Amino acid sequence: MGNTYTVKFNIYNQTTPVSVNVREGDTLLDAALDNNISLHHNCGAVCACSTCQVYIDHGMNTLPEISDAEEDFIDRAVAPKINSRLACQCIISGDVEVTIPDQSVHLGH
Ligand code: FES
């Protein structure tokens, strides 16, 4: 523990990406919220919704393997892609670059 990594967020409708430092063991959702980057998490980060969906542009191999539950919810997400992950399930242990899709399609927070 104690390592820090860089997460680069490419944000829908925002021209400039945002790079943040993240502690090993945090999730991608933590990384976004700790840095005031808006990312929905309607189920409270327990892998029971799909609103925290992001697309992994680089570093998929550093993330934990996808669980069956995560896969199920990605199937129900808005515009899922082959590189979709649920940010609350992605524990960071390396540098990652992700795209945050349009958040206006979700209600709640
Ligand atoms: S916040 Fe609901 S699955 Fe991530």
Side-chain angles (χ1 to χ4, degrees):
M1 293 310 269
N3 291 330
T4 57
Y5 297 103
T6 304
V7 177
K8 182 173 175 185
F9 289 102
N10 301 299
I11 303 166
Y12 175 82
N13 248 348
Q14 197 169 300
T15 43
T16 321
V18 181
S19 288
V20 302
N21 293 323
V22 182
R23 283 185 311 271
E24 179 166 23
D26 276 359
T27 65
L28 277 178
L29 179 66
D30 297 326
L33 299 182
D34 288 351
N35 292 282
N36 296 317
I37 295 167
S38 145
L39 180 55
H40 275 63
H41 47 282
N42 287 8
C43 77
V46 295
C47 197
C49 73
S50 53
T51 59
C52 69
Q53 173 187 226
V54 296
Y55 306 129
I56 310 296
D57 301 319
H58 293 290
M60 182 70 99
N61 58 330
T62 70
L63 299 173
E65 215 148 292
I66 194 162
S67 66
D68 289 346
E70 185 179 349
E71 214 154 353
D72 279 356
F73 280 105
I74 286 173
D75 282 346
R76 288 176 244 171
V78 177
K81 295 187 186 178
I82 191 82
N83 60 339
S84 289
R85 292 293 302 257
L86 300 180
C88 71
Q89 300 302 301
C90 291
I91 297 167
I92 292 163
S93 61
D95 294 340
V96 205
E97 180 174 345
V98 310
T99 294
I100 296 186
D102 183 6
Q103 296 292 291
S104 70
V105 298
H106 304 302
L107 299 175
H109 54 82

